[in-house]
Amino acid sequence: MNFPGGGAGGFPGAGGIPSAGGSGSSATPPMPMPQGDPNVKMLQNLMESCYAKTVMSGGAGFALGGVFGMFMASMAYDTPYHSPQTGTPGQPAIPGIKPPVDISTLPLRKQLAHGFKDMGARSWSTAKNFGQVGALFSGIECGIEGLRAKNDLANGVAAGCLTGGILARNGGPQAAAIGCAGFAAFSAAIDAWMRMPKDED
C-alpha cells in the first residue's frame, strides 16, 4: 500500500525528508572552505616563516633530546655514585670531602632518588643540546633558502657546515673545520635520502 509522499517501496517519507535508500540528491552539501580568508593566509605565512621554523625545530629537538637523554641515563645505573667534588677512586681520603661511594651500597630509597636526579639532569642537558642544534640548523637553512630562492641539496649542506662550525668554534679552527665537514656530510646524506623517489608499491 502506498501512502502520500511515500517512496518507491511504499515506505512513507516525512516532511520532504528522503526515505532510506533514496538517491540522496537532497542531502546537505558540505560547507566549502573559505577562499581568500586573510586569517588563513596569515597563519600559512606565519608557519612558513623562518622564525616559526626555527622555533618548531628547536622545540622538536628539545623534546627528542629529552627522551634520548632520559633513555641514556636509565642505561647507566652501573656507574659509581660520586658526590660533588670527590676525588678519584684509589686516592687517599681528603678531610672534609666524601670519598666515592658505590651506588649499589646505598639504600633503595637513595638509589632511586639519585637515579631520578641523574636522569633529570642528563635529560635536561641533552634536550638543550638537541634543541640548540635543531633551531640553529633550521634557521640557517631557511635563511640560505631565502637568499638563494632555491630548495635543493646545497641548502642543507651549507647549513650543516655553518651549524657544525658554530657549535665547535670554541675548540679552535681545526675543531670548527671538522665540525663543519661532519655536519655537512650528515646533512647531505639525510637530505639525499629524503629526496629519493618513493616506491609506488
Side-chain angles (χ1 to χ4, degrees):
M1 179 173 64
N2 295 332
F3 293 90
F11 295 98
I17 300 176
S19 59
S23 62
S25 59
S26 60
T28 304
M31 293 295 293
M33 294 297 293
Q35 299 293 334
D37 191 348
N39 294 327
V40 175
K41 287 186 176 180
M42 182 179 66
L43 183 60
Q44 290 178 348
N45 293 334
L46 178 63
M47 296 299 293
E48 293 175 359
S49 66
C50 291
Y51 298 105
K53 289 181 180 180
T54 301
V55 172
M56 288 189 295
S57 297
F62 186 88
L64 180 62
V67 174
F68 182 75
M70 188 179 300
F71 172 76
M72 295 302 296
S74 66
M75 303 295 291
Y77 283 115
D78 57 339
T79 58
Y81 168 66
H82 294 277
S83 58
Q85 297 181 352
T86 57
T88 57
Q91 295 291 332
I94 302 176
I97 298 180
K98 295 181 180 180
V101 179
D102 190 354
I103 190 174
S104 61
T105 62
L106 298 175
L108 178 60
R109 193 174 203 178
K110 291 187 177 181
Q111 290 185 32
L112 292 176
H114 169 71
F116 283 118
K117 183 178 180 180
D118 182 63
M119 187 180 297
R122 293 194 186 190
S123 179
W124 175 255
S125 177
T126 309
K128 289 193 300 182
N129 293 334
F130 274 54
Q132 181 183 7
V133 172
L136 190 60
F137 177 84
S138 181
I140 294 175
E141 185 185 28
C142 185
I144 293 175
E145 182 178 347
L147 290 175
R148 298 182 67 240
K150 291 181 181 180
N151 184 7
D152 53 13
L153 189 64
N155 294 337
V157 174
C161 179
L162 290 175
T163 301
I166 292 173
L167 293 175
R169 67 187 184 279
N170 293 333
Q174 184 177 1
I178 295 175
C180 172
F183 267 82
F186 180 76
S187 301
I190 295 298
D191 204 358
W193 180 77
M194 293 292 293
R195 294 175 184 272
M196 288 177 60
K198 305 298 181 182
D199 295 334
E200 298 294 337
D201 296 338

mmCIF file of all heavy atoms in Angstrom, residues 136-188:
data_model
loop_
_atom_site.group_PDB
_atom_site.id
_atom_site.type_symbol
_atom_site.label_atom_id
_atom_site.label_comp_id
_atom_site.label_asym_id
_atom_site.label_seq_id
_atom_site.Cartn_x
_atom_site.Cartn_y
_atom_site.Cartn_z
ATOM 1 N N LEU A 136 69.295 26.040 15.375
ATOM 2 C CA LEU A 136 70.374 26.668 14.610
ATOM 3 C C LEU A 136 70.385 26.192 13.158
ATOM 4 O O LEU A 136 70.466 26.999 12.228
ATOM 5 C CB LEU A 136 71.709 26.370 15.285
ATOM 6 C CG LEU A 136 72.951 27.123 14.779
ATOM 7 C CD1 LEU A 136 72.768 28.622 14.954
ATOM 8 C CD2 LEU A 136 74.193 26.666 15.517
ATOM 9 N N PHE A 137 70.277 24.883 12.972
ATOM 10 C CA PHE A 137 70.302 24.339 11.614
ATOM 11 C C PHE A 137 69.091 24.803 10.810
ATOM 12 O O PHE A 137 69.216 25.217 9.651
ATOM 13 C CB PHE A 137 70.335 22.815 11.661
ATOM 14 C CG PHE A 137 70.292 22.162 10.313
ATOM 15 C CD1 PHE A 137 71.455 21.998 9.570
ATOM 16 C CD2 PHE A 137 69.103 21.715 9.768
ATOM 17 C CE1 PHE A 137 71.424 21.407 8.322
ATOM 18 C CE2 PHE A 137 69.056 21.123 8.521
ATOM 19 C CZ PHE A 137 70.223 20.970 7.799
ATOM 20 N N SER A 138 67.909 24.752 11.402
ATOM 21 C CA SER A 138 66.705 25.136 10.676
ATOM 22 C C SER A 138 66.712 26.618 10.315
ATOM 23 O O SER A 138 66.338 26.994 9.203
ATOM 24 C CB SER A 138 65.470 24.812 11.518
ATOM 25 O OG SER A 138 64.285 25.147 10.843
ATOM 26 N N GLY A 139 67.136 27.468 11.258
ATOM 27 C CA GLY A 139 67.175 28.892 10.964
ATOM 28 C C GLY A 139 68.181 29.234 9.871
ATOM 29 O O GLY A 139 67.883 30.042 8.973
ATOM 30 N N ILE A 140 69.360 28.623 9.913
ATOM 31 C CA ILE A 140 70.367 28.893 8.885
ATOM 32 C C ILE A 140 69.907 28.372 7.523
ATOM 33 O O ILE A 140 70.043 29.054 6.497
ATOM 34 C CB ILE A 140 71.714 28.264 9.282
ATOM 35 C CG1 ILE A 140 72.273 28.959 10.519
ATOM 36 C CG2 ILE A 140 72.713 28.349 8.140
ATOM 37 C CD1 ILE A 140 73.544 28.328 11.055
ATOM 38 N N GLU A 141 69.342 27.181 7.499
ATOM 39 C CA GLU A 141 68.881 26.623 6.227
ATOM 40 C C GLU A 141 67.770 27.461 5.617
ATOM 41 O O GLU A 141 67.741 27.697 4.400
ATOM 42 C CB GLU A 141 68.394 25.193 6.429
ATOM 43 C CG GLU A 141 68.001 24.497 5.121
ATOM 44 C CD GLU A 141 67.411 23.125 5.349
ATOM 45 O OE1 GLU A 141 66.820 22.909 6.420
ATOM 46 O OE2 GLU A 141 67.531 22.275 4.456
ATOM 47 N N CYS A 142 66.847 27.934 6.456
ATOM 48 C CA CYS A 142 65.763 28.773 5.938
ATOM 49 C C CYS A 142 66.302 30.089 5.398
ATOM 50 O O CYS A 142 65.845 30.575 4.361
ATOM 51 C CB CYS A 142 64.748 29.023 7.054
ATOM 52 S SG CYS A 142 63.282 29.937 6.529
ATOM 53 N N GLY A 143 67.284 30.676 6.100
ATOM 54 C CA GLY A 143 67.875 31.913 5.602
ATOM 55 C C GLY A 143 68.612 31.722 4.283
ATOM 56 O O GLY A 143 68.502 32.560 3.368
ATOM 57 N N ILE A 144 69.351 30.621 4.160
ATOM 58 C CA ILE A 144 70.061 30.348 2.903
ATOM 59 C C ILE A 144 69.075 30.103 1.771
ATOM 60 O O ILE A 144 69.262 30.579 0.638
ATOM 61 C CB ILE A 144 71.002 29.142 3.082
ATOM 62 C CG1 ILE A 144 72.121 29.492 4.051
ATOM 63 C CG2 ILE A 144 71.588 28.697 1.746
ATOM 64 C CD1 ILE A 144 73.035 28.319 4.377
ATOM 65 N N GLU A 145 67.994 29.376 2.071
ATOM 66 C CA GLU A 145 66.984 29.121 1.038
ATOM 67 C C GLU A 145 66.329 30.407 0.573
ATOM 68 O O GLU A 145 66.044 30.584 -0.616
ATOM 69 C CB GLU A 145 65.931 28.164 1.594
ATOM 70 C CG GLU A 145 64.855 27.785 0.595
ATOM 71 C CD GLU A 145 63.849 26.807 1.165
ATOM 72 O OE1 GLU A 145 64.125 26.239 2.240
ATOM 73 O OE2 GLU A 145 62.790 26.623 0.538
ATOM 74 N N GLY A 146 66.093 31.336 1.512
ATOM 75 C CA GLY A 146 65.509 32.614 1.123
ATOM 76 C C GLY A 146 66.463 33.456 0.288
ATOM 77 O O GLY A 146 66.041 34.137 -0.655
ATOM 78 N N LEU A 147 67.752 33.411 0.606
ATOM 79 C CA LEU A 147 68.720 34.185 -0.165
ATOM 80 C C LEU A 147 68.927 33.605 -1.560
ATOM 81 O O LEU A 147 69.039 34.354 -2.542
ATOM 82 C CB LEU A 147 70.049 34.231 0.586
ATOM 83 C CG LEU A 147 70.077 35.064 1.875
ATOM 84 C CD1 LEU A 147 71.426 34.917 2.573
ATOM 85 C CD2 LEU A 147 69.805 36.533 1.573
ATOM 86 N N ARG A 148 68.980 32.275 -1.675
ATOM 87 C CA ARG A 148 69.222 31.637 -2.967
ATOM 88 C C ARG A 148 67.941 31.470 -3.790
ATOM 89 O O ARG A 148 68.017 31.249 -4.991
ATOM 90 C CB ARG A 148 69.859 30.259 -2.761
ATOM 91 C CG ARG A 148 71.213 30.302 -2.085
ATOM 92 C CD ARG A 148 71.816 28.922 -1.952
ATOM 93 N NE ARG A 148 72.141 28.366 -3.267
ATOM 94 C CZ ARG A 148 71.616 27.240 -3.748
ATOM 95 N NH1 ARG A 148 70.737 26.571 -3.029
ATOM 96 N NH2 ARG A 148 71.960 26.802 -4.944
ATOM 97 N N ALA A 149 66.790 31.561 -3.137
ATOM 98 C CA ALA A 149 65.499 31.338 -3.807
ATOM 99 C C ALA A 149 65.461 29.969 -4.476
ATOM 100 O O ALA A 149 64.898 29.804 -5.553
ATOM 101 C CB ALA A 149 65.219 32.441 -4.827
ATOM 102 N N LYS A 150 66.080 28.988 -3.826
ATOM 103 C CA LYS A 150 66.104 27.621 -4.331
ATOM 104 C C LYS A 150 65.946 26.663 -3.160
ATOM 105 O O LYS A 150 66.343 26.970 -2.040
ATOM 106 C CB LYS A 150 67.412 27.301 -5.063
ATOM 107 C CG LYS A 150 67.600 28.031 -6.379
ATOM 108 C CD LYS A 150 68.914 27.611 -7.029
ATOM 109 C CE LYS A 150 69.141 28.341 -8.337
ATOM 110 N NZ LYS A 150 70.431 27.924 -8.975
ATOM 111 N N ASN A 151 65.367 25.499 -3.463
ATOM 112 C CA ASN A 151 65.224 24.453 -2.461
ATOM 113 C C ASN A 151 65.899 23.195 -2.993
ATOM 114 O O ASN A 151 65.293 22.383 -3.679
ATOM 115 C CB ASN A 151 63.740 24.194 -2.173
ATOM 116 C CG ASN A 151 63.535 23.181 -1.060
ATOM 117 O OD1 ASN A 151 64.493 22.755 -0.414
ATOM 118 N ND2 ASN A 151 62.299 22.795 -0.832
ATOM 119 N N ASP A 152 67.183 23.068 -2.704
ATOM 120 C CA ASP A 152 67.937 21.931 -3.215
ATOM 121 C C ASP A 152 68.880 21.413 -2.135
ATOM 122 O O ASP A 152 68.855 21.853 -0.984
ATOM 123 C CB ASP A 152 68.713 22.304 -4.484
ATOM 124 C CG ASP A 152 69.596 23.536 -4.306
ATOM 125 O OD1 ASP A 152 69.798 23.953 -3.137
ATOM 126 O OD2 ASP A 152 70.091 24.080 -5.308
ATOM 127 N N LEU A 153 69.723 20.471 -2.536
ATOM 128 C CA LEU A 153 70.622 19.822 -1.591
ATOM 129 C C LEU A 153 71.674 20.771 -1.030
ATOM 130 O O LEU A 153 72.157 20.594 0.095
ATOM 131 C CB LEU A 153 71.300 18.634 -2.279
ATOM 132 C CG LEU A 153 72.114 17.688 -1.402
ATOM 133 C CD1 LEU A 153 71.231 16.977 -0.401
ATOM 134 C CD2 LEU A 153 72.845 16.659 -2.270
ATOM 135 N N ALA A 154 72.031 21.797 -1.793
ATOM 136 C CA ALA A 154 73.087 22.714 -1.359
ATOM 137 C C ALA A 154 72.693 23.484 -0.107
ATOM 138 O O ALA A 154 73.555 23.842 0.707
ATOM 139 C CB ALA A 154 73.432 23.688 -2.485
ATOM 140 N N ASN A 155 71.416 23.745 0.081
ATOM 141 C CA ASN A 155 70.985 24.478 1.275
ATOM 142 C C ASN A 155 71.308 23.703 2.547
ATOM 143 O O ASN A 155 71.840 24.253 3.516
ATOM 144 C CB ASN A 155 69.482 24.748 1.197
ATOM 145 C CG ASN A 155 69.110 25.685 0.066
ATOM 146 O OD1 ASN A 155 69.932 26.466 -0.404
ATOM 147 N ND2 ASN A 155 67.874 25.598 -0.393
ATOM 148 N N GLY A 156 70.978 22.417 2.543
ATOM 149 C CA GLY A 156 71.252 21.605 3.724
ATOM 150 C C GLY A 156 72.734 21.424 3.984
ATOM 151 O O GLY A 156 73.174 21.418 5.146
ATOM 152 N N VAL A 157 73.512 21.272 2.913
ATOM 153 C CA VAL A 157 74.953 21.107 3.080
ATOM 154 C C VAL A 157 75.574 22.375 3.673
ATOM 155 O O VAL A 157 76.388 22.317 4.611
ATOM 156 C CB VAL A 157 75.604 20.751 1.736
ATOM 157 C CG1 VAL A 157 77.132 20.727 1.866
ATOM 158 C CG2 VAL A 157 75.104 19.392 1.238
ATOM 159 N N ALA A 158 75.205 23.525 3.138
ATOM 160 C CA ALA A 158 75.744 24.783 3.655
ATOM 161 C C ALA A 158 75.293 25.036 5.092
ATOM 162 O O ALA A 158 76.083 25.477 5.941
ATOM 163 C CB ALA A 158 75.317 25.936 2.752
ATOM 164 N N ALA A 159 74.020 24.744 5.370
ATOM 165 C CA ALA A 159 73.517 24.938 6.727
ATOM 166 C C ALA A 159 74.206 23.986 7.702
ATOM 167 O O ALA A 159 74.532 24.369 8.828
ATOM 168 C CB ALA A 159 72.003 24.722 6.761
ATOM 169 N N GLY A 160 74.451 22.752 7.280
ATOM 170 C CA GLY A 160 75.155 21.810 8.141
ATOM 171 C C GLY A 160 76.578 22.246 8.423
ATOM 172 O O GLY A 160 77.065 22.130 9.558
ATOM 173 N N CYS A 161 77.252 22.761 7.413
ATOM 174 C CA CYS A 161 78.624 23.220 7.593
ATOM 175 C C CYS A 161 78.678 24.400 8.577
ATOM 176 O O CYS A 161 79.505 24.418 9.494
ATOM 177 C CB CYS A 161 79.216 23.608 6.244
ATOM 178 S SG CYS A 161 80.915 24.236 6.337
ATOM 179 N N LEU A 162 77.797 25.363 8.386
ATOM 180 C CA LEU A 162 77.781 26.515 9.282
ATOM 181 C C LEU A 162 77.391 26.108 10.707
ATOM 182 O O LEU A 162 77.966 26.604 11.684
ATOM 183 C CB LEU A 162 76.821 27.576 8.749
ATOM 184 C CG LEU A 162 77.261 28.304 7.474
ATOM 185 C CD1 LEU A 162 76.164 29.244 6.992
ATOM 186 C CD2 LEU A 162 78.544 29.079 7.722
ATOM 187 N N THR A 163 76.416 25.213 10.821
ATOM 188 C CA THR A 163 75.995 24.763 12.153
ATOM 189 C C THR A 163 77.127 24.049 12.880
ATOM 190 O O THR A 163 77.402 24.317 14.056
ATOM 191 C CB THR A 163 74.779 23.836 12.031
ATOM 192 O OG1 THR A 163 73.707 24.532 11.376
ATOM 193 C CG2 THR A 163 74.311 23.381 13.401
ATOM 194 N N GLY A 164 77.797 23.128 12.185
ATOM 195 C CA GLY A 164 78.906 22.418 12.806
ATOM 196 C C GLY A 164 80.056 23.337 13.180
ATOM 197 O O GLY A 164 80.671 23.177 14.247
ATOM 198 N N GLY A 165 80.358 24.306 12.329
ATOM 199 C CA GLY A 165 81.426 25.242 12.636
ATOM 200 C C GLY A 165 81.105 26.124 13.824
ATOM 201 O O GLY A 165 81.971 26.401 14.669
ATOM 202 N N ILE A 166 79.841 26.568 13.922
ATOM 203 C CA ILE A 166 79.452 27.427 15.039
ATOM 204 C C ILE A 166 79.480 26.654 16.359
ATOM 205 O O ILE A 166 79.959 27.153 17.385
ATOM 206 C CB ILE A 166 78.061 28.026 14.781
ATOM 207 C CG1 ILE A 166 78.119 29.019 13.613
ATOM 208 C CG2 ILE A 166 77.519 28.712 16.025
ATOM 209 C CD1 ILE A 166 76.769 29.539 13.176
ATOM 210 N N LEU A 167 78.992 25.426 16.337
ATOM 211 C CA LEU A 167 78.952 24.634 17.569
ATOM 212 C C LEU A 167 80.344 24.270 18.070
ATOM 213 O O LEU A 167 80.560 24.121 19.275
ATOM 214 C CB LEU A 167 78.128 23.362 17.351
ATOM 215 C CG LEU A 167 76.630 23.561 17.098
ATOM 216 C CD1 LEU A 167 75.962 22.234 16.781
ATOM 217 C CD2 LEU A 167 75.963 24.213 18.299
ATOM 218 N N ALA A 168 81.293 24.108 17.144
ATOM 219 C CA ALA A 168 82.652 23.700 17.522
ATOM 220 C C ALA A 168 83.632 24.869 17.536
ATOM 221 O O ALA A 168 84.847 24.656 17.574
ATOM 222 C CB ALA A 168 83.152 22.619 16.566
ATOM 223 N N ARG A 169 83.136 26.081 17.536
ATOM 224 C CA ARG A 169 84.015 27.257 17.424
ATOM 225 C C ARG A 169 84.928 27.413 18.629
ATOM 226 O O ARG A 169 86.042 27.932 18.505
ATOM 227 C CB ARG A 169 83.176 28.525 17.240
ATOM 228 C CG ARG A 169 82.345 28.883 18.456
ATOM 229 C CD ARG A 169 81.392 30.040 18.168
ATOM 230 N NE ARG A 169 80.655 30.454 19.348
ATOM 231 C CZ ARG A 169 79.578 29.847 19.818
ATOM 232 N NH1 ARG A 169 79.120 28.774 19.197
ATOM 233 N NH2 ARG A 169 78.958 30.281 20.892
ATOM 234 N N ASN A 170 84.482 26.961 19.791
ATOM 235 C CA ASN A 170 85.320 27.117 20.989
ATOM 236 C C ASN A 170 86.527 26.193 20.996
ATOM 237 O O ASN A 170 87.453 26.394 21.768
ATOM 238 C CB ASN A 170 84.480 26.855 22.243
ATOM 239 C CG ASN A 170 83.400 27.910 22.457
ATOM 240 O OD1 ASN A 170 83.543 29.050 22.033
ATOM 241 N ND2 ASN A 170 82.311 27.509 23.089
ATOM 242 N N GLY A 171 86.530 25.160 20.141
ATOM 243 C CA GLY A 171 87.653 24.235 20.095
ATOM 244 C C GLY A 171 88.769 24.666 19.163
ATOM 245 O O GLY A 171 89.754 23.934 19.017
ATOM 246 N N GLY A 172 88.640 25.798 18.523
ATOM 247 C CA GLY A 172 89.671 26.265 17.620
ATOM 248 C C GLY A 172 89.327 26.031 16.163
ATOM 249 O O GLY A 172 88.303 25.404 15.830
ATOM 250 N N PRO A 173 90.163 26.526 15.255
ATOM 251 C CA PRO A 173 89.883 26.397 13.819
ATOM 252 C C PRO A 173 89.800 24.947 13.347
ATOM 253 O O PRO A 173 88.965 24.617 12.499
ATOM 254 C CB PRO A 173 91.054 27.132 13.158
ATOM 255 C CG PRO A 173 91.596 28.029 14.221
ATOM 256 C CD PRO A 173 91.372 27.338 15.508
ATOM 257 N N GLN A 174 90.659 24.093 13.868
ATOM 258 C CA GLN A 174 90.638 22.697 13.430
ATOM 259 C C GLN A 174 89.330 22.012 13.849
ATOM 260 O O GLN A 174 88.718 21.298 13.048
ATOM 261 C CB GLN A 174 91.827 21.944 14.013
ATOM 262 C CG GLN A 174 91.937 20.497 13.528
ATOM 263 C CD GLN A 174 93.171 19.803 14.064
ATOM 264 O OE1 GLN A 174 93.949 20.393 14.814
ATOM 265 N NE2 GLN A 174 93.368 18.560 13.681
ATOM 266 N N ALA A 175 88.893 22.245 15.076
ATOM 267 C CA ALA A 175 87.633 21.663 15.532
ATOM 268 C C ALA A 175 86.456 22.220 14.748
ATOM 269 O O ALA A 175 85.510 21.483 14.414
ATOM 270 C CB ALA A 175 87.448 21.926 17.022
ATOM 271 N N ALA A 176 86.499 23.512 14.422
ATOM 272 C CA ALA A 176 85.425 24.105 13.633
ATOM 273 C C ALA A 176 85.374 23.506 12.235
ATOM 274 O O ALA A 176 84.289 23.251 11.683
ATOM 275 C CB ALA A 176 85.604 25.615 13.559
ATOM 276 N N ALA A 177 86.551 23.261 11.640
ATOM 277 C CA ALA A 177 86.582 22.657 10.308
ATOM 278 C C ALA A 177 86.053 21.223 10.328
ATOM 279 O O ALA A 177 85.301 20.802 9.436
ATOM 280 C CB ALA A 177 88.006 22.677 9.758
ATOM 281 N N ILE A 178 86.422 20.478 11.361
ATOM 282 C CA ILE A 178 85.931 19.104 11.477
ATOM 283 C C ILE A 178 84.423 19.097 11.713
ATOM 284 O O ILE A 178 83.683 18.287 11.127
ATOM 285 C CB ILE A 178 86.666 18.370 12.607
ATOM 286 C CG1 ILE A 178 88.147 18.207 12.264
ATOM 287 C CG2 ILE A 178 86.032 17.003 12.872
ATOM 288 C CD1 ILE A 178 88.976 17.596 13.374
ATOM 289 N N GLY A 179 83.946 20.000 12.559
ATOM 290 C CA GLY A 179 82.506 20.093 12.784
ATOM 291 C C GLY A 179 81.758 20.485 11.534
ATOM 292 O O GLY A 179 80.678 19.967 11.253
ATOM 293 N N CYS A 180 82.322 21.405 10.770
ATOM 294 C CA CYS A 180 81.710 21.824 9.509
ATOM 295 C C CYS A 180 81.597 20.651 8.542
ATOM 296 O O CYS A 180 80.536 20.396 7.969
ATOM 297 C CB CYS A 180 82.514 22.956 8.893
ATOM 298 S SG CYS A 180 82.008 23.422 7.225
ATOM 299 N N ALA A 181 82.696 19.913 8.368
ATOM 300 C CA ALA A 181 82.691 18.786 7.436
ATOM 301 C C ALA A 181 81.756 17.677 7.899
ATOM 302 O O ALA A 181 81.016 17.088 7.097
ATOM 303 C CB ALA A 181 84.113 18.238 7.281
ATOM 304 N N GLY A 182 81.767 17.395 9.190
ATOM 305 C CA GLY A 182 80.918 16.329 9.710
ATOM 306 C C GLY A 182 79.436 16.639 9.570
ATOM 307 O O GLY A 182 78.660 15.799 9.094
ATOM 308 N N PHE A 183 79.033 17.837 9.969
ATOM 309 C CA PHE A 183 77.626 18.211 9.868
ATOM 310 C C PHE A 183 77.194 18.325 8.408
ATOM 311 O O PHE A 183 76.056 17.994 8.064
ATOM 312 C CB PHE A 183 77.376 19.530 10.600
ATOM 313 C CG PHE A 183 76.944 19.356 12.024
ATOM 314 C CD1 PHE A 183 77.882 19.130 13.018
ATOM 315 C CD2 PHE A 183 75.614 19.414 12.370
ATOM 316 C CE1 PHE A 183 77.497 18.959 14.330
ATOM 317 C CE2 PHE A 183 75.215 19.245 13.684
ATOM 318 C CZ PHE A 183 76.163 19.023 14.679
ATOM 319 N N ALA A 184 78.072 18.821 7.548
ATOM 320 C CA ALA A 184 77.728 18.936 6.134
ATOM 321 C C ALA A 184 77.504 17.564 5.513
ATOM 322 O O ALA A 184 76.546 17.350 4.759
ATOM 323 C CB ALA A 184 78.825 19.690 5.386
ATOM 324 N N ALA A 185 78.386 16.611 5.829
ATOM 325 C CA ALA A 185 78.227 15.261 5.285
ATOM 326 C C ALA A 185 76.954 14.599 5.811
ATOM 327 O O ALA A 185 76.215 13.949 5.057
ATOM 328 C CB ALA A 185 79.447 14.408 5.642
ATOM 329 N N PHE A 186 76.697 14.772 7.105
ATOM 330 C CA PHE A 186 75.480 14.179 7.673
ATOM 331 C C PHE A 186 74.231 14.806 7.061
ATOM 332 O O PHE A 186 73.266 14.106 6.726
ATOM 333 C CB PHE A 186 75.497 14.378 9.187
ATOM 334 C CG PHE A 186 74.304 13.804 9.885
ATOM 335 C CD1 PHE A 186 74.188 12.443 10.077
ATOM 336 C CD2 PHE A 186 73.304 14.638 10.367
ATOM 337 C CE1 PHE A 186 73.090 11.900 10.727
ATOM 338 C CE2 PHE A 186 72.196 14.105 11.017
ATOM 339 C CZ PHE A 186 72.094 12.741 11.192
ATOM 340 N N SER A 187 74.216 16.125 6.907
ATOM 341 C CA SER A 187 73.065 16.800 6.311
ATOM 342 C C SER A 187 72.859 16.370 4.867
ATOM 343 O O SER A 187 71.725 16.172 4.419
ATOM 344 C CB SER A 187 73.245 18.318 6.386
ATOM 345 O OG SER A 187 73.395 18.743 7.727
ATOM 346 N N ALA A 188 73.959 16.222 4.126
ATOM 347 C CA ALA A 188 73.844 15.789 2.731
ATOM 348 C C ALA A 188 73.273 14.386 2.636
ATOM 349 O O ALA A 188 72.424 14.105 1.778
ATOM 350 C CB ALA A 188 75.215 15.851 2.060
#
